[in-house]
Amino acid sequence: MMESMISDSQPIESAMPERVELDPMRHSSQWGEIFLSNRDGTPRRFREYQVEDLECASKRIAHLDGRAVGKTINLSSLLLWFVSVNKGKSVLVAAPYQGHLDAIIEEVEYQLDRSDILRSGLKKRDVAHGSGKRQAYYQLTFKNGCTAYFRPAGVKGYAFRSLHVDLLLVDEAARLPERAWNALMQCLKPGGFMRVYSTPNGLRDTTYYRITESEEWTVFHWPTWIAPDWDRKRKKELLDFYGGENTSGWQHEAAGEHGMPTYGTFNVKQVMNAVTEIHEYRQVKLHGEMLEDCLTEIQVRERLENLLHLEGGHGMCWLGGDLGYANDPTELLVFEEDEDEVLWLILRVHAERVPYPAISEIIALIDTVYLPEALGIDRGGNGTAVEQDLLHLDKYAMQGFAGKLVGIDFGGTTIVGEDDAGQPIKRRTKEHMTLLINRQLNARKFRIPSSDKEVEDQLCTHTYTLGQKGIIYKKGNDHIVDAMRCMMLARSFELDPQHVTEIIMPDLVFLPTGPNFNRRYG
């Protein structure tokens, strides 16, 4: 394999031959090294494998790549070169959701702002305005008649319709829904060029998989270790994170291979049936920097009250939380249940780099306003510390968390009932929580907001593999889903205490029964 040819410590660049000078107007790599810059201000110099991709003359190119190998750099460089050396041409940059486009737009904006020459050729920037309103799509128009469109696919690819372009660039193609592919392929003019960049996800029944296996496409394979910053430390970090070289996470995200077959955790059609306009929905984003100048607990709580700006007057509510550890974000979700047992997502709090004592304060504030019947939080990372704060600190004693807070070990086992012989029926906790979400989706009793595409995105793209030990869910981009899992399990304990009797975890047995926990039936 390529990995065996690369030293764990020696950069690849040291073995590169001298670059042959070419006509930059005809060769995008040479053009990029003249007009583009790295983020540290130094002139751009492409890696040899990036040059090979940029200079490839094939009209159909697909990528099987690991993470952090320079896909965004190549895509944005090719885009800027194309609109600079042509006249009257058009480009479409497509991705599953707007969030995937943002990194590309940020890189393009950086290059335009830094280069007087590039900026002088720009005629107009159409930038989306206004939070919460229907946003215009990002678009660049140049004085030479070229136009660059940036469009998110969504599920059906409506944003692609009516466009006809000469160059089609697709990012995160493995996650593009099949119905969106149908609309996308109609955008490319006869004789046009198409490039597809993505980290594979293991799904075999997708357009992306088929084109990477097609002889009609030129396929580039860039594993993570092709990058010059690869070393033993980076390898160990990824092996520890993904759990070894034989896991789907390593095969897809690091090796850039289709690897183990994966399957969609949730039915996309059922997820889309749940997407609707929710007028009461609120999304709050918090960052640790917002609390840096707070010196006391009182100041932290007052600052959080102002930032959250929570309003009461809700019906029966449930809270679920995936509490981030290290660089992972925290996601807190509040669902309101109506008289038909339909769950409506009405609040999402996204917190980054917020210390766990402040997370405890946030949960306590939400509890004070929304009065959830039960709260479920994961016990990993910061979760245990937050659970201990809420259960044992005097300042939270009056809120009665001991009767409604459920700390959940995702690696544990849940007893969901008894068989005919009276023996307990056990199910792995994460699988059981996922089943609860699927049941709710299947019954069409789940509502998620159309205004927050991240929720839809995580549900539609969450996958799993079947290993020797059973189902293994893909890590990453699943924090909202994990918060939903926690909410659903806490709700199931409250609504059916006789059915779900206990969770068995290492060195701990939690019994969610009794008059304090089941206060609705007390």
Side-chain angles (χ1 to χ4, degrees):
M1 293 181 67
M2 188 179 301
E3 184 180 12
S4 62
M5 301 170 59
I6 300 174
S7 169
D8 282 336
S9 58
Q10 181 183 10
I12 298 175
E13 301 287 357
S14 62
M16 283 187 176
E18 289 295 324
R19 195 69 53 82
V20 177
E21 292 298 326
L22 303 170
D23 180 2
M25 300 302 286
R26 300 185 59 184
H27 296 277
S28 56
S29 63
Q30 292 292 309
W31 180 92
E33 294 185 351
I34 295 173
F35 292 102
L36 304 181
S37 304
N38 297 320
R39 289 303 180 95
D40 61 4
T42 60
R44 173 149 298 165
R45 182 163 176 81
F46 295 104
R47 303 160 185 169
E48 283 299 307
Y49 64 86
Q50 290 178 300
V51 173
E52 184 182 1
D53 169 59
L54 289 169
E55 298 302 332
C56 182
S58 175
K59 289 191 173 182
R60 299 289 183 272
I61 296 176
H63 273 253
L64 280 164
D65 298 337
R67 297 291 181 189
V69 292
K71 297 187 295 294
T72 300
I73 293 297
N74 266 36
L75 191 156
S76 57
S77 299
L78 186 65
L79 163 67
L80 288 171
W81 169 79
F82 187 84
V83 297
S84 296
V85 304
N86 288 290
K87 292 183 179 181
K89 299 292 186 179
S90 54
V91 184
L92 169 60
V93 182
Y97 292 96
Q98 184 62 43
H100 303 129
L101 292 174
D102 287 342
I104 301 170
I105 293 173
E106 182 181 348
E107 173 63 19
V108 170
E109 286 281 314
Y110 173 81
Q111 300 299 340
L112 290 173
D113 291 339
R114 185 170 180 82
S115 171
D116 293 336
I117 296 176
L118 293 179
R119 193 167 58 254
S120 67
L122 188 64
K123 183 178 180 181
K124 183 181 179 183
R125 301 186 194 188
D126 293 326
V127 184
H129 295 285
S131 176
K133 300 178 181 179
R134 185 165 183 239
Q135 299 184 2
Y137 297 115
Y138 185 88
Q139 181 174 313
L140 298 172
T141 305
F142 296 84
K143 294 176 182 178
N144 60 6
C146 289
T147 304
Y149 305 96
F150 296 77
R151 299 288 175 90
V155 174
K156 299 180 180 180
Y158 287 147
F160 302 149
R161 299 188 184 278
S162 77
L163 291 179
H164 300 284
V165 298
D166 303 284
L167 175 62
L168 181 53
L169 303 172
V170 186
D171 193 29
E172 296 291 352
R175 304 174 70 183
L176 206 70
E178 290 304 296
R179 295 178 69 178
W181 275 105
N182 296 333
L184 181 65
M185 296 305 296
Q186 303 301 318
C187 296
L188 191 63
K189 293 179 180 179
F193 293 80
M194 182 173 181
R195 291 184 181 232
V196 168
Y197 298 84
S198 191
T199 298
N201 60 5
L203 294 175
R204 266 40 175 196
D205 59 344
T206 64
T207 298
Y208 172 72
Y209 177 80
R210 289 191 294 272
I211 64 177
T212 59
E213 297 293 307
S214 172
E215 295 181 357
E216 303 298 321
W217 287 69
T218 300
V219 179
F220 286 91
H221 177 215
W222 295 351
T224 298
W225 52 80
I226 200 174
D229 59 354
W230 180 262
D231 55 22
R232 289 187 177 88
K233 180 180 179 182
R234 177 66 174 156
K235 180 178 180 179
K236 184 179 184 303
E237 287 177 350
L238 293 181
L239 285 173
D240 290 344
F241 180 77
Y242 292 117
E245 293 185 0
N246 294 324
T247 62
S248 61
W250 172 271
Q251 292 169 353
H252 303 156
E253 307 289 339
E257 299 172 350
H258 288 299
M260 298 171 61
T262 64
Y263 310 90
T265 304
F266 306 103
N267 183 290
V268 173
K269 184 177 181 180
Q270 292 179 354
V271 173
M272 295 315 301
N273 287 336
V275 176
T276 187
E277 184 176 1
I278 303 178
H279 296 290
E280 298 83 5
Y281 178 73
R282 291 187 64 242
Q283 179 184 356
V284 181
K285 292 187 177 182
L286 304 175
H287 299 273
E289 294 82 357
M290 297 175 176
L291 305 174
E292 284 183 346
D293 60 335
C294 296
L295 302 179
T296 66
E297 290 184 2
I298 295 177
Q299 290 178 341
V300 170
R301 189 176 184 90
E302 290 177 348
R303 178 68 55 80
L304 289 172
E305 285 179 340
N306 292 329
L307 292 171
L308 292 170
H309 193 60
L310 304 176
E311 298 179 355
H314 301 279
M316 182 190 301
C317 291
W318 312 92
L319 184 147
D322 180 53
L323 310 187
Y325 181 68
N327 293 325
D328 288 336
T330 286
E331 295 286 352
L332 298 171
L333 307 179
V334 174
F335 285 81
E336 184 174 17
E337 183 170 351
D338 63 21
E339 62 275 7
D340 296 320
E341 298 182 344
V342 178
L343 294 172
W344 298 73
L345 179 57
I346 59 173
L347 175 66
R348 174 187 166 211
V349 177
H350 174 94
E352 296 183 11
R353 301 181 299 278
V354 175
Y356 81 84
I359 297 296
S360 301
E361 288 285 1
I362 294 170
I363 294 175
L365 287 170
I366 294 175
D367 177 74
T368 300
V369 175
Y370 287 86
L371 300 174
E373 302 292 317
L375 304 85
I377 61 174
D378 72 290
R379 263 207 182 96
N382 286 334
T384 301
V386 171
E387 181 185 14
Q388 293 302 310
D389 275 5
L390 296 175
L391 291 177
H392 300 297
L393 291 183
D394 291 341
K395 62 180 178 178
Y396 302 128
M398 297 301 294
Q399 294 186 236
F401 284 112
K404 58 185 179 182
L405 178 65
V406 183
I408 300 168
D409 180 359
F410 277 40
T413 303
T414 300
I415 297 178
V416 299
E418 295 181 350
D419 59 20
D420 294 338
Q423 297 299 312
I425 301 173
K426 299 180 181 180
R427 185 178 292 138
R428 293 170 67 184
T429 300
K430 194 167 185 177
E431 290 181 26
H432 180 61
M433 293 189 290
T434 306
L435 175 63
L436 294 174
I437 296 176
N438 271 313
R439 285 176 178 172
Q440 201 75 10
L441 287 169
N442 186 54
R444 295 200 173 190
K445 292 189 174 183
F446 217 63
R447 299 290 184 269
I448 58 178
S450 56
S451 59
D452 191 344
K453 295 299 182 182
E454 285 187 81
V455 181
E456 171 190 329
D457 174 27
Q458 290 197 16
L459 286 168
C460 288
T461 60
H462 193 38
T463 59
Y464 69 91
T465 60
L466 291 174
Q468 294 181 345
K469 296 182 179 180
I471 292 176
I472 302 172
Y473 295 99
K474 181 181 177 181
K475 294 183 179 180
N477 198 44
D478 60 352
H479 301 291
I480 296 174
V481 177
D482 283 345
M484 288 184 184
R485 286 182 168 118
C486 292
M487 181 277 299
M488 291 299 298
L489 189 62
R491 175 177 177 269
S492 72
F493 289 161
E494 176 77 1
L495 295 181
D496 194 358
Q498 286 75 33
H499 178 65
V500 181
T501 56
E502 62 183 0
I503 306 176
I504 300 177
M505 294 171 282
D507 303 321
L508 179 65
V509 176
F510 175 71
L511 300 176
T513 57
N516 287 333
F517 186 85
N518 300 295
R519 60 193 180 98
R520 287 183 58 214
Y521 304 101

